[in-house]
Amino acid sequence: MTGPTLQRRLGLGDAIAIGLGSMIGAGVFAVFAPAAQAAGAGLLVGLAIAAVVAFANATSTAQLAAAHPVAGGAWAYGRAELGPWAGFVAGWGFVIGKLASCAAMAMTFAAYAAPAGFERPVAVAAVAALTIVNLLGVTRTARLTRILVVIVLLCLAVVVAAGAVSLPTGAGWTGGEISPYGVLQSAGLIFFAFAGYARIATMGEEVRDPARTIPRAILGAFAGALTVYAVLAVLCLLVLGPERLAAASAPLAELVSAAGWEWAQPVVRVAAAAASLGALLALIAGIGRTSFAMSRGGDLPGFFAAVHPSRHTPYRAEIAVGAIVMVAVALVDLRGAIGFSSLGVLVYYLVANIAALRQDAAHRRFPRALAALGAAGCAVLAVTLPWQAALAGAGVLALGVVLRLMFGRRSPTRAA
């Protein structure tokens, strides 16, 4: 392939910031309530299970990224280790799942930042603005992500302080019904909230010294996100108790209120808005790179396999992603549309773990058992999904397979 290509401009700090921006997204402000509804006082067990599965997936992703430092993430790893069909299923699952997540993040931002009645226009404007940031170059994406991550962490420090003040009068974590199935459901919810390290892998062609940087960035971002989630989960349970937490529409706002810090309510809103923007920014970048790689490889129309001559961004793919998300935000009732995203993400990581299992000893950085654990964890969490979500996800994945059979190119464009 001749012409402009993606350039390696991201260092370790940039990659970690993108990973943190993906994982400490809007989920940290919303996931604890439904997780408590499912698990009650077993929420922390669900968090531990989610952390183990996510860590196993992170090690598989890091190992594969070091061996295949190209754009596309598990799409590229599946093709290289398992064959073109496995790569396509992983890439398609990622694209369709994360497109829905983009729309959800945009609406979450608008829910915190927009005046009542103006949520959809503000969400569309946010998607347009962040698409433009991504088009300006990957260093601009990393720079804005750093700023948003710092804002979120500073605001969360205020929330943690409020929780610590409230501990002596907290409700404690007893109460609420606990069942193994409920704990697994909570693990699935929490897993999706902080499994954003794939965004680092999808940008594999833009990271300097990728064999060393990407694994360190993935594990560093995972450790940072897990620390944030664990601290907040413990505080929410101890201060609010399982029943109040399960009923909370905004758990972190409730945590601040329990301390009597009503002045800090705007801080929570700022943090939620910034976290949503950070996740949305990284999502648009990640989907754009995966779509670009799939187009270059023949799994999506070749029109999108273009790199801007001066900005060195996959501009056609990113514009398409932004346009699709803006249409979804403006026209679609997202409450019923994003159910299939969970299955798509699990399929993506399942392929990555199986691909890691197939790697030879020369490329192995972590025990094979971790990849097996990650694959098994993805399968178990998929089983716990509501049947409606699983059915919708399977249908969209099957549609992708049919489209590839009908329109897939026989001679894919090769990367330079």
Side-chain angles (χ1 to χ4, degrees), residues 16 165 195 209 219 280 401:
I16 290 176
V165 168
D209 190 12
L219 296 179
L280 178 58
V401 170

Side-chain angles (χ1 to χ4, degrees), residues 194-259:
F194 67 74
Y197 39 77
R199 241 68 78 233
I200 303 171
T202 60
M203 305 176 82
E205 285 182 45
E206 294 162 282
V207 176
R208 296 193 297 268
D209 190 12
R212 185 168 180 264
T213 299
I214 295 178
R216 293 172 64 194
I218 288 175
L219 296 179
F222 170 77
L226 177 58
T227 300
V228 170
Y229 274 88
V231 170
L232 290 171
V234 169
L235 287 174
C236 284
L237 271 181
L238 286 176
V239 173
L240 303 179
E243 294 180 357
R244 183 178 174 186
L245 176 58
S249 59
L252 299 192
E254 291 265 0
L255 199 61
V256 168
S257 293

Side-chain angles (χ1 to χ4, degrees), residues 77 99 237 261 280 404:
Y77 313 150
L99 279 171
L237 271 181
W261 291 14
L280 178 58
R404 186 179 189 271

Side-chain angles (χ1 to χ4, degrees), residues 4-173:
T5 59
L6 303 178
Q7 292 190 341
R8 300 194 181 279
R9 295 177 170 177
L10 299 177
L12 178 61
D14 297 322
I16 290 176
I18 289 171
L20 281 175
S22 302
M23 286 184 272
I24 307 178
V28 76
F29 297 89
V31 74
F32 296 126
Q37 290 172 9
L43 168 63
L44 294 183
V45 180
L47 174 64
I49 293 172
V52 169
V53 175
F55 176 73
N57 289 342
T59 56
S60 292
T61 304
Q63 179 173 289
L64 288 160
H68 307 286
V70 294
W75 173 83
Y77 313 150
R79 283 176 69 91
E81 303 290 343
L82 304 172
W85 273 107
F88 172 79
V89 170
W92 182 248
F94 180 85
V95 169
I96 57 104
K98 294 305 182 181
L99 279 171
S101 296
C102 277
M105 287 299 100
M107 288 302 294
T108 301
F109 164 74
Y112 283 97
F118 292 88
E119 288 86 353
R120 287 185 187 269
V122 169
V124 170
V127 175
L130 295 186
T131 301
I132 291 171
V133 171
N134 275 318
L135 291 172
L136 292 176
V138 71
T139 54
R140 302 290 180 88
T141 300
R143 190 176 306 145
L144 179 55
T145 302
R146 281 176 181 258
I147 294 170
L148 292 171
V149 167
V150 170
I151 292 172
V152 173
L153 292 178
L154 289 174
C155 293
L156 289 179
V158 174
V159 176
V160 169
V165 168
S166 305
L167 279 177
T169 58
W173 55 37

Side-chain angles (χ1 to χ4, degrees), residues 321-341:
V321 169
I324 291 171
V325 175
M326 284 188 281
V327 170
V329 167
L331 302 178
V332 178
D333 181 1
L334 297 173
R335 290 174 297 180
I338 66 174
F340 60 78
S341 65

